[in-house]
Amino acid sequence: MTERSTTDTTAPYYSSTLVSLPARAVALVLAGGKGSRLRAAADAELHRTPKVLVPIDTDTGRTPMLGHALTQLTTAGFRRIAVLTSTDPATGAEAVETYALAHPSARQAELTIHREQHPLGTAGAAYAALAHLPDTPAAVVLPADTLFPTALLPSAVAEHRSRPVAVTWTVTTAPGRSAQNAGRLFLDPDGQHVVHALEGVDATLPAGSRSGLRQATSTGAVIIAPAPFRALFEEYARRLANPGEADLYRQFMPWAISQGHPVGAFDIRTAAPDLGTPDRLAAFGRTA
């Protein structure tokens, strides 16, 4: 009788890596927008409702944008969520905060409110909130008015943490119809970094300099390594003539790229519609 070896040289091939969120990872939900474009619509509900509390149609029924985002984040595995609001009366912060604290996610996760005392912009608000979250290994910034496929966030966070970058911009090379600012980001040939950012600015990239680059669209979600991000933001803030609002997408990340700081890219390869205008809200968020 032939003895079988107890050492199997084939089995180790059949292995995988569990992709999950690191403990104490936090989702920073941007909920301080005024919703000026929605309020300009001829719709009474949009006039009287804070932007992130405007209801949308989902698989589970009609729910405010913020509620949908909070549910999706807890489903994706986040057990720490920070809702970023503003004292600007136009944002309806009190109603937004009350809604967030009463949402079921507040019982499923450690949910905190971070209210800016004066307008900080999306980058400034993230910087300020992270000062209260010193033990988080990774943070995800997510606008409440974007239909982002949150099931992809654990993979995005894992990819981000494997690279020596302070921020990773989640992008899409398949933005779908009616995407906001489509094709205004350019990735290196390997798709690993954002090398040109025309997001939110009237700028053009010379045709000759596009050779070999991949064109992409912002999805709104940004992955942050807290300590490097805060250090980089402080460098950015020191260069400002006066303190003021610092937008993550239109100012901070384009500045970082221009200064030679690497900004990672994570391509979700699907649409992530922004619901910030009446047309996009009607197309993607409401069936009426």
Side-chain angles (χ1 to χ4, degrees):
M1 183 171 121
T2 304
E3 256 184 52
R4 297 182 65 182
S5 170
T6 57
T7 303
D8 192 327
T9 58
T10 303
Y13 173 84
Y14 298 94
S15 63
S16 62
T17 301
L18 175 64
V19 177
S20 58
L21 291 167
R24 307 298 288 168
V26 65
L28 306 178
V29 183
L30 300 175
K34 298 177 183 178
S36 301
R37 293 172 296 178
L38 291 181
R39 290 176 185 272
D43 183 324
E45 183 176 38
L46 300 184
H47 281 250
R48 65 175 182 265
T49 308
K51 177 182 179 179
V52 299
L53 297 186
V54 170
I56 60 175
D57 293 316
T58 71
D59 293 339
T60 57
R62 199 157 166 78
T63 187
M65 294 181 195
L66 178 58
H68 177 68
L70 294 176
T71 297
Q72 293 295 101
L73 288 168
T74 54
T75 300
F78 283 92
R79 293 297 174 264
R80 204 177 193 192
I81 299 174
V83 178
L84 312 189
T85 67
S86 169
T87 53
D88 187 331
T91 66
E94 185 174 342
V96 170
E97 293 168 6
T98 299
Y99 176 84
L101 293 172
H103 191 268
S105 62
R107 297 188 294 275
Q108 301 165 7
E110 178 187 328
L111 190 147
T112 53
I113 303 293
H114 300 258
R115 183 190 302 164
E116 57 190 40
Q117 297 306 309
H118 46 81
L120 299 177
T122 47
Y127 171 84
L130 288 172
H132 301 283
L133 303 162
D135 60 338
T136 186
V140 176
V141 179
L142 186 70
D145 63 348
T146 297
L147 297 179
F148 187 90
T150 53
L152 297 177
L153 286 176
S155 294
V157 171
E159 186 70 22
H160 166 77
R161 299 186 78 203
S162 72
R163 302 174 185 171
V165 295
V167 293
T168 292
W169 202 333
T170 69
V171 303
T172 180
T173 50
R177 61 193 178 94
S178 301
Q180 182 181 24
N181 295 329
R184 296 180 68 79
L185 302 180
F186 293 84
L187 315 183
D188 61 18
D190 294 329
Q192 299 291 300
H193 298 89
V194 181
V195 294
H196 291 285
L198 310 181
E199 175 83 357
V201 295
D202 293 324
T204 57
L205 184 65
S209 62
R210 299 186 183 194
S211 178
L213 301 183
R214 301 185 187 185
Q215 203 162 0
T217 299
S218 172
T219 67
V222 176
I223 320 298
I224 288 175
F229 168 78
R230 282 177 54 81
L232 190 57
F233 183 85
E234 288 165 6
E235 179 184 337
Y236 167 80
R238 283 194 296 269
R239 300 188 181 204
L240 299 178
N242 297 294
E245 295 185 48
D247 190 272
L248 186 60
Y249 314 96
R250 295 172 174 82
Q251 295 172 310
F252 175 73
M253 287 192 290
W255 167 83
I257 294 167
S258 73
Q259 297 299 305
H261 298 291
V263 170
F266 183 84
D267 186 2
I268 66 170
R269 299 184 178 88
T270 189
D274 172 349
L275 306 180
T277 69
D279 289 346
R280 289 200 294 274
L281 177 64
F284 302 109
R286 308 173 93 172
T287 58

XYZ file of all heavy atoms in Angstrom, residues 19 22 32-33 65 67 74 111 178 188-189 217 220:
81
model
N -11.727 40.773 2.034
C -11.718 42.231 1.921
C -12.805 42.777 2.829
O -13.993 42.546 2.595
C -11.955 42.684 0.469
C -12.010 44.209 0.399
C -10.863 42.156 -0.448
N -11.404 48.082 7.796
C -10.634 47.999 9.046
C -11.473 48.468 10.225
O -12.372 49.311 10.070
C -9.450 48.939 8.790
C -9.920 49.869 7.724
C -10.864 49.079 6.866
N -24.036 69.162 4.476
C -24.160 70.580 4.783
C -24.430 71.455 3.581
O -24.305 72.683 3.659
N -24.829 70.854 2.456
C -25.077 71.640 1.254
C -26.374 72.425 1.308
O -27.347 72.020 1.969
N -32.583 61.307 0.897
C -31.238 60.991 0.402
C -30.316 60.566 1.541
O -29.575 59.579 1.432
C -30.613 62.211 -0.286
C -31.269 62.681 -1.541
S -30.326 64.116 -2.173
C -31.473 64.782 -3.359
N -31.040 59.326 4.472
C -31.407 58.029 5.006
C -30.904 56.899 4.138
O -30.423 55.870 4.637
N -24.142 51.414 6.510
C -24.167 50.371 7.538
C -24.213 48.991 6.889
O -23.593 48.040 7.380
C -25.351 50.556 8.499
O -26.568 50.642 7.755
C -25.182 51.802 9.331
N -22.764 56.860 15.602
C -23.059 57.989 14.718
C -22.845 59.298 15.473
O -23.381 59.487 16.565
C -24.487 57.900 14.192
C -24.856 58.887 13.073
C -25.864 58.256 12.115
C -25.425 60.192 13.630
N -25.927 61.667 -18.241
C -26.154 62.829 -17.374
C -25.190 62.924 -16.195
O -25.528 63.488 -15.157
C -27.606 62.833 -16.852
O -28.516 62.874 -17.926
N -3.184 58.193 -14.895
C -1.962 57.731 -15.547
C -2.275 56.465 -16.349
O -3.350 55.872 -16.216
C -0.846 57.499 -14.519
C -1.196 56.437 -13.482
O -2.121 55.639 -13.721
O -0.545 56.409 -12.431
N -1.362 56.025 -17.233
C -1.656 54.868 -18.096
C -2.065 53.610 -17.343
O -2.831 52.789 -17.863
C -0.332 54.663 -18.851
C 0.273 56.034 -18.906
C -0.067 56.651 -17.576
N -14.283 60.182 -14.625
C -15.230 61.115 -14.014
C -15.258 60.886 -12.507
O -15.238 59.741 -12.044
C -16.640 60.890 -14.602
O -16.588 61.136 -16.017
C -17.668 61.813 -13.961
N -17.417 61.307 -6.428
C -17.715 61.992 -5.168
C -17.094 61.361 -3.938
O -16.766 62.058 -2.980
